[in-house]
Amino acid sequence: MINSPADSTHPSTSDATHTSRTPGLAGGKVGRRNQGVPAPEPGGAAQRRPANVTGPQEEPQLRALGPHRPSITTWEAGWNVTNAIQGMFVLGLPYALVRSGYLGLLLLVLAAWICNHTGTILVACLYEEEHHGLGPISVLVRVRHSYQDIAEACCKGLRPNWAGLAGWMVNIAQVVELLMTCTLYLVVSATLLSDSLWWTAVPRSACSLASVLLLLPCLVLTDLRPVSTLSMLCSLAHGLISLLVILYCLSASRGWSLSALSLAVEPGDFLVSVGVIIFSYTSQIFLPTLEGNMEHRGQFPAMLGRTHAAACVLKTAFSLLAVLTWGRETSEVITDNLPANLRPFVNLGLVAKALLSYPLPFYSAAQILETCFLRGTVASASTQASRGPPAVPRLGLLVRGALLGTSYLLALLVPRFSLLMGLTGSVTGAAMTLILPCLFHLRLRWRRLGARERLTDVAILSLGLVCSTSGLICSLERLVEGL
């Protein structure tokens, strides 16, 4: 098996790792079934990097991104993934489970495995295998750095300008999904804040404006470290709130009933629920950047698997207990079912959690837009940053301000939480999470994949196409009805 980039304290030197082709050496067998997925590098002299082998392609490209690009630990990367896949969208899962019945329980588990798989193969597409010398030693070099780079590599050589067009389309899809995520956080925070202040009769639009004002510091975020810290605080708040809701559900266990779950479900509701569940596990957009910033990239697959396993257990338990407790009365946002004396405290905690969740998708969307439209300005700012603290250029502030304002306007126009979540999951969520990673993996690594890997990717790709098309139609119909 081809091993991952060697653990290093500097990302610029952690992009190549040696693998012996001799069977029996530590690191596993090498065969056609290998997917080139980064994995921790085993120790031993046979696996050591020769002195003359480095990551020559990585250093110049990292420098082009700016000298102040920091590294994050495996724990910090895990907090960011947890923030993405175990965030505010858990609040809508019990409602989706009621609409999807027992099949929804299966979907919660299956979606976790599928999203972990597609995230792993997406990051594998960032690497290419290279041979050095005449021996059986090969290295994995990180030759790509973003979702856009992978799309361009897949379309390179097909038709003139197709590579550039594919890169733009992927960037548009990423920005749309990230913008919808930011909008959802504002919708949730405004709704919960308005419910918590019910005695003051504050309109929801005013609560949305207050949330935006609290998010103004996001305009000056320059690296992932503060975002990782906010993600950690967000995950801790989420754990405490989930524990409180679970304890309340356990206290009402005498009234539990499975009558709300059934095998027969309405097709439209089921398809919308599929979009909601898929969107709750979406993190693929962040993974190339997170993996590229990790100090020990070889730990990425284990980190991704553990975060998805933990999310699967907590989401399934949380959703099932809520449905057992409230049954058909389960609301779109589960906190609406809590007693009146408990709801304001939980809602305020969730408002804080939503605001702490906002910086990660906002920062990612801002980075994509700045890279596409302000490359020269960003490079100049990076050069100036080498002489002092990093700063956001003026045009960058304008782009970020427009992004924040757009998410605010969308939050005012689309107040239905579950429908917006289902629509986003059916369109960009399915494309970025299910369709494109499998398509790119098959395109770039077809000859290295075994029959099982190919069939797995084709099956997930087909599932994504079906869910995306049908879910889009159903979500749009319900969204139009709800406006």
Side-chain angles (χ1 to χ4, degrees):
M1 178 177 181
I2 297 175
N3 291 322
S4 70
D7 290 350
S8 170
T9 55
H10 301 286
S12 60
T13 60
S14 63
D15 298 310
T17 182
H18 296 270
T19 301
S20 174
R21 295 284 184 177
T22 305
L25 286 177
K29 297 179 181 179
V30 176
R32 294 185 61 203
R33 305 180 80 83
N34 168 53
Q35 296 181 1
V37 177
E41 181 179 0
Q47 301 292 333
R48 291 176 184 169
R49 183 198 311 268
N52 62 339
V53 178
T54 60
Q57 301 297 324
E58 178 74 7
E59 183 68 19
Q61 296 185 34
L62 283 177
R63 284 178 179 173
L65 294 176
H68 280 276
R69 183 184 186 185
S71 295
I72 58 176
T73 65
T74 303
W75 276 99
E76 289 173 329
W79 288 125
N80 281 310
V81 174
T82 300
N83 181 14
I85 66 176
Q86 200 160 280
M88 295 298 298
F89 311 117
V90 175
L91 300 178
L93 289 181
Y95 183 78
L97 183 58
V98 171
R99 297 295 180 268
S100 57
Y102 286 104
L103 291 177
L105 290 174
L106 177 62
L107 280 173
L108 284 170
V109 179
L110 184 62
W113 179 85
I114 290 176
C115 291
N116 176 64
H117 173 77
T118 56
T120 302
I121 63 176
L122 178 67
V123 169
C125 291
L126 298 171
Y127 291 84
E128 288 293 341
E129 181 181 355
E130 292 187 2
H131 296 272
H132 294 267
L134 301 178
I137 302 298
S138 63
V139 296
L140 281 178
V141 180
R142 195 176 196 268
V143 297
R144 305 177 189 99
H145 307 282
S146 66
Y147 219 136
Q148 176 188 1
D149 293 341
I150 297 173
E152 291 177 350
C154 289
C155 296
K156 187 176 181 181
L158 295 179
R159 289 287 182 88
N161 302 323
W162 273 31
L165 179 61
W168 273 96
M169 291 180 65
V170 166
N171 279 338
I172 291 173
Q174 289 185 93
V175 171
V176 169
E177 182 173 349
L178 293 168
L179 180 60
M180 290 297 101
T181 304
C182 292
T183 302
L184 284 170
Y185 287 137
L186 285 179
V187 170
V188 172
S189 62
T191 300
L192 296 178
L193 185 59
S194 178
D195 291 344
S196 301
L197 303 176
W198 57 271
W199 66 88
T200 61
V202 178
R204 200 177 66 87
S205 58
C207 294
S208 296
L209 180 60
S211 299
V212 169
L213 294 177
L214 292 174
L215 292 170
L216 287 178
C218 293
L219 298 178
V220 294
L221 287 174
T222 56
D223 60 63
L224 273 173
R225 283 201 178 275
V227 176
S228 300
T229 302
L230 294 174
S231 294
M232 179 189 68
L233 296 175
C234 173
S235 299
L236 293 176
H238 170 76
L240 292 175
I241 294 170
S242 298
L243 179 61
L244 182 61
V245 175
I246 289 174
L247 289 176
Y248 176 82
C249 292
L250 292 175
S251 68
S253 59
R254 292 184 178 180
W256 283 359
S257 173
L258 285 172
S259 60
L261 296 178
S262 65
L263 291 174
V265 294
E266 203 277 322
D269 288 339
F270 176 75
L271 292 172
V272 173
S273 298
V274 170
V276 172
I277 292 173
I278 290 175
F279 191 58
S280 72
Y281 282 105
T282 298
S283 66
Q284 278 70 10
I285 286 180
F286 311 110
L287 298 184
T289 300
L290 290 177
E291 193 265 353
N293 279 273
M294 288 179 64
E295 293 176 349
H296 305 290
R297 294 178 180 170
Q299 298 177 5
F300 173 82
M303 178 275 296
L304 192 67
R306 289 167 184 163
T307 52
H308 278 76
C312 176
V313 172
L314 292 176
K315 286 180 179 181
T316 304
F318 182 86
S319 302
L320 182 58
L321 289 176
V323 173
L324 289 174
T325 303
W326 290 292
R328 291 288 177 182
E329 301 301 321
T330 302
S331 302
E332 288 188 15
V333 180
I334 195 60
T335 53
D336 291 343
N337 292 108
L338 294 174
N341 58 343
L342 182 61
R343 190 185 311 165
F345 300 100
V346 174
N347 284 350
L348 289 176
L350 289 172
V351 168
K353 174 177 167 48
L355 297 179
L356 290 171
S357 300
Y358 190 94
L360 178 60
F362 178 85
Y363 175 80
S364 300
Q367 290 292 300
I368 294 172
L369 292 174
E370 290 171 3
T371 301
C372 291
F373 300 109
L374 306 174
R375 291 183 179 181
T377 304
V378 173
S380 176
S382 299
T383 303
Q384 296 177 2
S386 62
R387 310 187 190 98
V392 180
R394 292 182 179 178
L395 290 179
L397 287 174
L398 181 62
V399 169
R400 295 178 179 215
L403 185 63
L404 182 63
T406 302
S407 65
Y408 168 65
L409 292 177
L410 288 175
L412 295 179
L413 294 174
V414 187
R416 291 292 302 277
F417 173 73
S418 65
L419 292 180
L420 181 58
M421 186 175 171
L423 176 62
T424 306
S426 298
V427 185
T428 59
M432 306 301 292
T433 303
L434 304 180
I435 300 173
L436 293 183
C438 294
L439 185 63
F440 294 160
H441 192 235
L442 291 170
R443 166 70 175 165
L444 294 175
R445 296 183 172 272
W446 177 263
R447 295 181 180 179
R448 303 177 189 176
L449 300 180
R452 185 177 65 180
E453 285 77 18
R454 293 176 182 177
L455 288 175
T456 300
D457 287 352
V458 170
I460 297 174
L461 174 62
S462 303
L463 175 65
L465 290 173
V466 173
C467 292
S468 180
T469 304
S470 56
L472 171 62
I473 296 173
C474 295
S475 296
L476 283 176
E477 289 178 352
R478 285 160 174 74
L479 189 61
V480 171
E481 293 174 359
L483 289 178

